[in-house]
Amino acid sequence: MNDFNVSCPIPLDKYPQVLLAHGGGGKLMQQLLEKMVFSTFKTAQDIPPHDSAVINLPGSKIAFTTDSYVIHPLFFPGGDIGSLAINGTVNDLAMSGARPLYLSLGFIIEEGLPMETLWRVIQSLKKAADVANIQVVTGDTKVVDRGKGDGIFINTAGVGIIEHDRSIAPQFVQPGDAILINGDIGRHGISIMAVREGLELETTIESDCAPLHNVVLEMLNQGIEINCLRDLTRGGLASALNEIATSAEVTINIKERTISIQEDVQGACEILGFDPLYVANEGKFVAFIPQSSVNQALKIMKSFSQDASIIGEVTGHGTDMGLVTLESKIGSQRIVDMLSGEQLPRIC
Amino acid sequence: MNDFNVSCPIPLDKYPQVLLAHGGGGKLMQQLLEKMVFSTFKTAQDIPPHDSAVINLPGSKIAFTTDSYVIHPLFFPGGDIGSLAINGTVNDLAMSGARPLYLSLGFIIEEGLPMETLWRVIQSLKKAADVANIQVVTGDTKVVDRGKGDGIFINTAGVGIIEHDRSIAPQFVQPGDAILINGDIGRHGISIMAVREGLELETTIESDCAPLHNVVLEMLNQGIEINCLRDLTRGGLASALNEIATSAEVTINIKERTISIQEDVQGACEILGFDPLYVANEGKFVAFIPQSSVNQALKIMKSFSQDASIIGEVTGHGTDMGLVTLESKIGSQRIVDMLSGEQLPRIC
């Protein structure tokens, strides 16, 4: 899963672990950056990044976002902190309908991190960036004393270009909009929990960690009138819908039978006492689409993932604003509220 | 120093400390973001940031940079992690000759951080952003378990616009270029060390933490032919000159008597056994300027800080490339090398 084919360019017998000095601005930091980071992420730019990367954008309407990644453990089935740090930020750009172009990369490393672990993470970052067709153009490395961090934290900030005239945001959601999802839910959070809890399952549940910009850009390209997009990360589907319902001042109804959940994920949720509606995903999103575009939108989403579906619709405006309800498989209605905190800390 | 006038909008009797749930994607996180972050950094944009901020840039040649701030202690004479996180990234943009416009803001908070401390930091971020005339447009908050972080780490990424046609980078440094500095060195690092070591000094040494874009933009505006700029952070003046000399394949000579160091900073360096040439600054930079523009450039720099000076020049090209030498006050020459690590961990 976590390919580790290229041997670490820093001699591991000499530097088996990251030292405070690797973040200190001197020779050791320069060596680490040049051998491990710059050479991995070298770009076609004329001028290598010094203090800032200087880049030309094909347009001046941009999306700009940031996320820090503190996931524990660093490696999990279906991904690791590196692929997560790329895809998470790519997806935040995609949810604005932007084409992701450039990323910054900030490491906060705990003194004592095995150098080989850092190299695995960098290799994974590179692989995920290549898959998402995004360039890492600037970065920073800090090292904190042992016991003052937790292995490695990564921040990525992303810049993307907006090539269309649509306004995609919660306040453009309209009563009657259909709510589409691009596949099954709950896999990311449960894959992390299964590793943390040492859960013995028949099959290994893999995170759904993946970039989402291609399906979004294809919908925009085909003229789908997208009103709102949202990836289903911390807090899962339930929290995303609640936030949008509150911002848009609408009510939302979803149908349980249309929401796809893998059998092993459902089983693990039952063992752990989790509601899959609140479990984090890293490759799933909802789209709010006017009825006139629904069939075409679903067709495009299905061409990227077969289990895309329509899970509900925006039912009202103004009254009971912010309310999200679910029609269960047996036909009863219940309210889907926000949780206070979350079920699963540090899943991203 | 650290103004704290507006009372914390989260009730401190109920939430005296940051909880894991404040980063969990649920109600508590929403409340913290809305009351403390969004309301502080609200912008004039039509569309509030959802997943990404959507911004219009007045041009398409941009600078993009990132830095994480892990400074310890969080508050120090002359600044705190908040002012540092704004000015540090503003200065990285300025060193590319860019006009800083937008920042992202990523918090990694350790569970148990006093809520009041977070609020002080947010207030300081806001104040520094206003002084630097930069907008915080997007952000992220993560909370890690107690003992897995150190109070608060902050990442900022910055986007600036480049309004000129000059290429400002080490490889454009030329033999004969004068090296100008905008003031005295060593204050930031020593102010941190004095606090950490409990050093009893006659006067309190204050960090020089400050934004640098105004002086740079004024030089560009007046047509100064700037070849390279560099702020003197981790590793100080000595490391910056070494990196530039190596990148540009030149030799550099500086004169000790032209380098301004406050008497109390010099004294503290002697007590601590530090060479001020290697001590970090957060409001100082060097500019590499062709002789034809030197007088005008110095005049502009002096109009911003009276103790700006010419500290040396680029002496050669090709031979002994990368070598930095210093002419001491008594006229002898010595080599100023890179350190392996640094004198002072976690000063930024």
Side-chain angles (χ1 to χ4, degrees):
Chain A
M1 213 106 45
N2 300 299
D3 292 358
F4 182 46
N5 303 320
V6 184
S7 65
C8 182
I10 299 271
L12 294 177
D13 50 343
K14 199 167 173 194
Y15 298 108
Q17 298 185 326
V18 176
L19 308 175
L20 268 179
H22 280 116
K27 277 184 194 168
L28 278 184
M29 182 170 108
Q30 242 187 4
Q31 191 186 49
L32 183 135
L33 291 180
E34 273 168 21
K35 293 196 177 177
M36 290 177 78
V37 184
F38 297 162
S39 61
T40 301
F41 296 107
K42 62 179 179 289
T43 65
Q45 289 180 268
D46 292 338
I47 301 171
H50 186 51
D51 282 299
S52 307
V54 174
I55 48 187
N56 283 296
L57 292 176
S60 56
K61 188 174 176 190
I62 69 165
F64 181 35
T65 191
T66 191
D67 257 318
S68 303
Y69 300 88
V70 300
I71 192 163
H72 176 79
L74 298 178
F75 303 91
F76 48 85
D80 56 60
I81 193 171
S83 55
L84 191 64
I86 299 292
N87 291 330
T89 295
V90 162
N91 292 348
D92 277 346
L93 294 173
M95 293 304 108
S96 298
R99 181 182 298 281
L101 290 180
Y102 299 107
L103 281 187
S104 69
L105 182 56
F107 294 117
I108 299 176
I109 303 171
E110 184 190 10
E111 180 189 20
L113 179 77
M115 191 65 78
E116 198 167 325
T117 301
L118 177 59
W119 182 236
R120 277 178 72 184
V121 170
I122 290 174
Q123 296 277 98
S124 171
L125 283 159
K126 170 64 174 166
K127 194 176 159 191
D130 286 350
V131 168
N133 198 23
I134 192 163
Q135 283 192 312
V136 173
V137 291
T138 185
D140 175 57
T141 302
K142 293 291 188 311
V143 182
V144 296
D145 359 2
R146 207 181 284 261
K148 302 293 183 186
D150 193 16
I152 184 168
F153 301 144
I154 297 178
N155 176 285
T156 48
V159 172
I161 193 90
I162 294 178
E163 300 164 326
H164 56 84
D165 295 322
R166 292 208 63 78
S167 294
I168 298 172
Q171 65 265 44
F172 302 109
V173 165
Q174 297 298 325
D177 278 1
I179 304 168
L180 282 70
I181 195 168
N182 69 323
D184 68 301
I185 62 169
R187 270 196 279 142
H188 177 71
I190 294 301
S191 77
I192 303 301
M193 263 339 251
V195 176
R196 274 200 223 157
E197 302 288 310
L199 220 59
E200 297 281 346
L201 301 169
E202 279 176 34
T203 51
T204 302
I205 296 171
E206 293 205 349
S207 167
D208 61 338
C209 184
L212 293 171
H213 58 296
N214 285 329
V215 57
V216 171
L217 293 175
E218 183 59 26
M219 287 200 286
L220 288 166
N221 194 34
Q222 291 199 25
I224 303 293
E225 295 172 43
I226 301 172
N227 288 334
C228 182
L229 296 166
R230 186 68 191 271
D231 54 343
L232 309 176
T233 56
R234 271 186 289 186
L237 175 62
S239 305
L241 294 180
N242 266 282
E243 278 180 47
I244 291 169
T246 302
S247 299
E249 303 183 3
V250 297
T251 53
I252 284 174
N253 183 253
I254 54 173
K255 293 185 191 342
E256 190 176 21
R257 65 175 169 74
T258 61
I259 300 167
S260 170
I261 302 170
Q262 282 186 9
E263 210 170 309
D264 47 2
V265 171
Q266 186 73 57
C269 278
E270 282 163 17
I271 294 168
L272 295 164
F274 289 155
D275 182 342
L277 290 178
Y278 294 89
V279 175
N281 312 273
E282 288 293 342
K284 294 295 153 13
F285 71 105
V286 287
F288 288 70
I289 309 277
Q291 294 294 338
S292 54
S293 285
V294 168
N295 290 339
Q296 198 189 349
L298 185 61
K299 195 174 155 197
I300 296 165
M301 283 172 78
K302 277 184 177 288
S303 75
F304 283 85
S305 50
Q306 189 49 45
D307 54 352
S309 63
I310 300 167
I311 59 166
E313 65 175 44
V314 179
T315 45
H317 197 300
T319 50
D320 295 330
M321 70 178 200
L323 194 70
V324 179
T325 53
L326 175 123
E327 185 189 302
S328 75
K329 283 177 186 167
I330 54 165
S332 63
Q333 293 280 345
R334 70 171 171 96
I335 291 171
V336 178
D337 203 357
M338 288 284 277
L339 293 185
S340 179
E342 76 173 329
Q343 301 165 325
L344 312 166
R346 294 185 62 190
I347 41 71
C348 60
Chain B
M1 214 105 52
N2 299 299
D3 293 354
F4 182 44
N5 302 320
V6 183
S7 66
C8 181
I10 299 270
L12 294 177
D13 51 342
K14 198 166 173 194
Y15 297 109
Q17 297 186 327
V18 177
L19 309 174
L20 267 179
H22 281 116
K27 277 184 193 168
L28 279 183
M29 181 169 110
Q30 244 188 2
Q31 190 187 48
L32 184 136
L33 292 180
E34 274 169 20
K35 294 196 174 176
M36 291 178 78
V37 183
F38 297 161
S39 60
T40 302
F41 296 107
K42 62 180 177 289
T43 66
Q45 288 181 268
D46 292 336
I47 301 171
H50 186 53
D51 283 301
S52 307
V54 174
I55 47 187
N56 283 296
L57 292 175
S60 56
K61 188 175 178 190
I62 69 164
F64 181 36
T65 191
T66 191
D67 257 320
S68 302
Y69 300 86
V70 299
I71 192 163
H72 177 79
L74 298 178
F75 302 92
F76 49 85
D80 56 59
I81 191 171
S83 55
L84 191 65
I86 300 291
N87 290 331
T89 295
V90 162
N91 292 347
D92 277 347
L93 293 173
M95 294 303 109
S96 297
R99 180 182 299 280
L101 290 180
Y102 299 106
L103 281 187
S104 69
L105 181 56
F107 293 117
I108 299 176
I109 303 170
E110 184 191 9
E111 179 189 20
L113 179 76
M115 191 65 76
E116 197 166 327
T117 302
L118 177 59
W119 182 236
R120 278 179 72 184
V121 169
I122 289 173
Q123 295 276 99
S124 171
L125 283 158
K126 170 64 174 166
K127 193 175 159 191
D130 286 350
V131 168
N133 198 21
I134 192 164
Q135 283 192 312
V136 173
V137 291
T138 185
D140 175 57
T141 303
K142 293 292 190 311
V143 182
V144 296
D145 359 2
R146 207 181 283 261
K148 301 295 183 185
D150 193 16
I152 185 167
F153 301 144
I154 297 178
N155 177 283
T156 48
V159 171
I161 194 90
I162 295 179
E163 300 165 325
H164 56 85
D165 294 324
R166 293 207 63 78
S167 294
I168 298 173
Q171 64 265 42
F172 302 108
V173 164
Q174 297 297 324
D177 279 0
I179 304 167
L180 282 70
I181 195 169
N182 69 321
D184 68 301
I185 61 169
R187 270 196 278 141
H188 177 72
I190 293 301
S191 77
I192 303 299
M193 260 342 248
V195 176
R196 272 199 227 160
E197 302 288 312
L199 221 58
E200 297 281 345
L201 302 168
E202 279 174 36
T203 51
T204 301
I205 296 170
E206 293 205 349
S207 167
D208 62 339
C209 185
L212 294 171
H213 58 297
N214 286 328
V215 56
V216 170
L217 293 175
E218 183 59 26
M219 287 199 286
L220 287 166
N221 193 34
Q222 291 199 26
I224 303 293
E225 295 173 43
I226 301 171
N227 288 335
C228 182
L229 296 167
R230 185 69 191 270
D231 54 342
L232 308 176
T233 57
R234 271 185 288 186
L237 174 62
S239 304
L241 293 180
N242 265 282
E243 277 182 46
I244 292 169
T246 302
S247 299
E249 303 184 4
V250 297
T251 54
I252 283 174
N253 184 253
I254 54 174
K255 293 185 193 335
E256 191 176 18
R257 65 174 169 74
T258 62
I259 300 168
S260 170
I261 303 171
Q262 283 186 7
E263 212 170 305
D264 49 0
V265 171
Q266 186 73 55
C269 278
E270 282 163 16
I271 293 169
L272 295 163
F274 289 154
D275 182 341
L277 291 178
Y278 294 89
V279 175
N281 312 273
E282 288 294 341
K284 294 296 154 12
F285 71 104
V286 288
F288 288 70
I289 309 278
Q291 295 294 339
S292 55
S293 286
V294 168
N295 290 340
Q296 196 188 349
L298 184 62
K299 196 174 154 197
I300 296 166
M301 284 171 76
K302 276 183 178 291
S303 75
F304 284 83
S305 52
Q306 189 49 46
D307 55 350
S309 63
I310 300 167
I311 58 166
E313 65 174 45
V314 179
T315 46
H317 197 300
T319 51
D320 295 329
M321 71 178 201
L323 194 70
V324 178
T325 53
L326 175 122
E327 186 189 301
S328 75
K329 284 176 185 166
I330 56 166
S332 64
Q333 293 281 343
R334 71 171 170 96
I335 291 171
V336 178
D337 204 356
M338 286 286 275
L339 294 185
S340 179
E342 75 173 328
Q343 299 165 324
L344 312 167
R346 297 187 57 192
I347 39 72
C348 60

